[in-house]
Amino acid sequence: MQRRTKKAHYLGLLLHPSAIHSMIGRIMRREDLPYTSKLINLYIERGLLKTQPAISTIQGLLKTHFRCERCLNTQSEKFIHFHCAKCEQVCTYCRHCITMGRIASCTQLLTWAGPSPQHPKKHQFSWTSTLTELQQHASLELAASIQQKRQHLLHAVCGAGKTEILFQPIYNALQKGFRICVATPRTDVVLELAPRLQKVFPTTMIHVLYGGAPEQQSYAQLVIATTHQLYRFAKAFDVMIVDEADAFPYTFDESLQKAVYKAKKPDAPITFVTATPSSKLLKQRDGYSFLPRRYHNHPLPVPRFQSLWRYKRQFKKDKLPKQLRQWVEQRIEAKQPFLIFFPTIEMLEQALPLFSPNILGVHAEDPTRKEKILKLRNAEIQGLLTTTILERGITIANLQVAVVGAENPIFTASALIQIAGRVGRDEQYPTGDIIFFHHGISLEMDLAKQEIQRLNEVANE
Amino acid sequence: MNKEVTHCLLCERELQQVITWQTLFERSWPPVICERCEAKFERTHYTTEELTTIFYYNDAMKNFLRQYKFSQDIILAKVFRQELNKLLRNRSETIVPIPMNPLKKKERTFAHIDELLHAAEIPYEHLLEKTTTETQVGKSKLQRQQVAPLFSCTKELAAKHYILIDDIVTTGTTIAHAKKALLDAGAESVTAIVLIKG
Ligand SMILES: [Zn+2]
Ligand SMILES: [Zn+2]
Ligand SMILES: [Zn+2]
């Protein structure tokens, strides 16, 4: 009798299925769950929630090493030790993933360990355009790799239409009830991809995750996220697609690469997509598709070099270098939208007042970035000054591009190829100007130009 | 001690190592934020006999407070240690931080005012406690001043002169209440140094 009442009591406490759905594949802080401590403990006792400490310590020979179990960071300078008023001892927190809510030694991390739901296999695929022969071929190759759980590298030049290539393989995976993640290092790319995928899969629940994105409840079978957001997942995905796989900071931040592997199921295949694969990516590929030609069959615009001697000193003296001024005047005259890339925020801020008020500046810390890009697209402004933050993901018809200080080490060959790839993407305007203003030609500038010319030759074969 | 901070604590850019001359009488730390971030904080140069404030509450400060208090990024206590040290190091008064509600402190895992002083290597003494857990939000200035005392003294006072420390001052009610509690307990003088003028 007593047993029965106890059981009835427990049943009254059970979580709603949709609450469970939103926990699947997630790594959660205990304090973020909107349930009572009693209820959480019950789920832990029953083995439905697994607990783990947030910061683990590894005793080394000379010192203690730390690892954050959410972002897998191990850099010692990212761990801060303090006297904690909660656990009343020396406690350690991770600064590397602090924007997702701080986790410290006394934080409990929870993952769902109970059964997973059956995913819907019925999805609407609303896509009517056709692929070019090259795209079609690559799409089939990629679908086959995913089917065979093989790693795949999709190497497609800027403007080859790589996103369209992903549609059919994603649809195949959705129909099998797989959970799919499209991850990219760049928030701008997430924002560009999300509406396109939602349009193609109108009935599929899609979550779009990036820093500052609104909280999304329930369970999404398709997740589009920055690689940063993958810190929040563990063993969640059956298919992992990493778009712009060579972009900053993914290649520089080892914890982001680990996060990709942690977020997927151990046997889930990864697809890397990029226009400028690193030699490492080219080596570790298993399946490989190569698209040297743009979808509209026009060649890639080849950059031209223009000296802009002592431009730094001129900006400092509040002077707009003559050749740059002329270039901008020509764009305005021809009513062509344009981007001018700068190597640093400081130089961008120095140069911005020298331009007309109808030209704005954007950089990584700019909260109004989205709106400014939209203004350029809608021809409400003439041009944008930008840091390398816009080297990828942005597509604007008839866009003309200049790089100021192209010899700066921040402009690697792949960054310059990506920047040049912003030009001539639209079928209506397949050409356009891409100019590298410099104070001396760098090796990377030469490499970028050679590679673009090589790709154009390969495409013609 | 501070060699581990190689990147700006606010924007993550690499810090340029600036060589500064350390005089015999002044404690000086290497910077933990870059010049660009530092320039975004706006100084008040506000000093009266009763109250000194150091910075205005602008966007940069708003972000700083959010990251320090809400995101619990304790290391940010180091950002203003030079300023606080300079203002407080030669003072003979007893330094009294505005206390936190103990439950709130446990939840935040640290007392933000104490940590600012700790980072600035300024010794302090807790002499006050909050008498009520009611927050001031949503009350008018008059209402706030009319409510029962916000603080009481926890100890018999040994010294005569005190400096109160708080992070932000808007109406001045908190400081006024704390000051009254100390004066009522026998203090001869109470002034205040507050990081931010709201
Ligand atoms: Zn703790
Ligand atoms: Zn972390
Ligand atoms: Zn900074």
Side-chain angles (χ1 to χ4, degrees), chain A residues 55 68-73 79 94-98 103:
Chain A
I55 309 289
C68 172
E69 292 300 330
R70 182 170 62 186
C71 75
L72 303 180
N73 162 51
F79 290 104
C94 173
R95 260 201 122 220
H96 190 258
C97 60
I98 195 166
I103 56 175

Side-chain angles (χ1 to χ4, degrees), chain A residues 78 82 85 93 95 102, chain B residues 9 12-13 72-74 109:
Chain A
K78 292 283 183 188
F82 70 107
Y93 71 90
R95 260 201 122 220
R102 196 190 76 174
Chain B
L9 290 180
E12 291 294 321
R13 292 141 160 271
Q72 304 163 293
D73 200 1
I74 303 165
T109 73

Side-chain angles (χ1 to χ4, degrees), chain B residues 135-150:
Chain B
T135 65
Q136 298 196 348
V137 182
K139 288 187 186 146
S140 72
K141 186 169 176 177
L142 193 65
Q143 276 177 317
R144 275 185 243 175
Q145 279 161 351
Q146 280 169 343
V147 293
L150 287 173

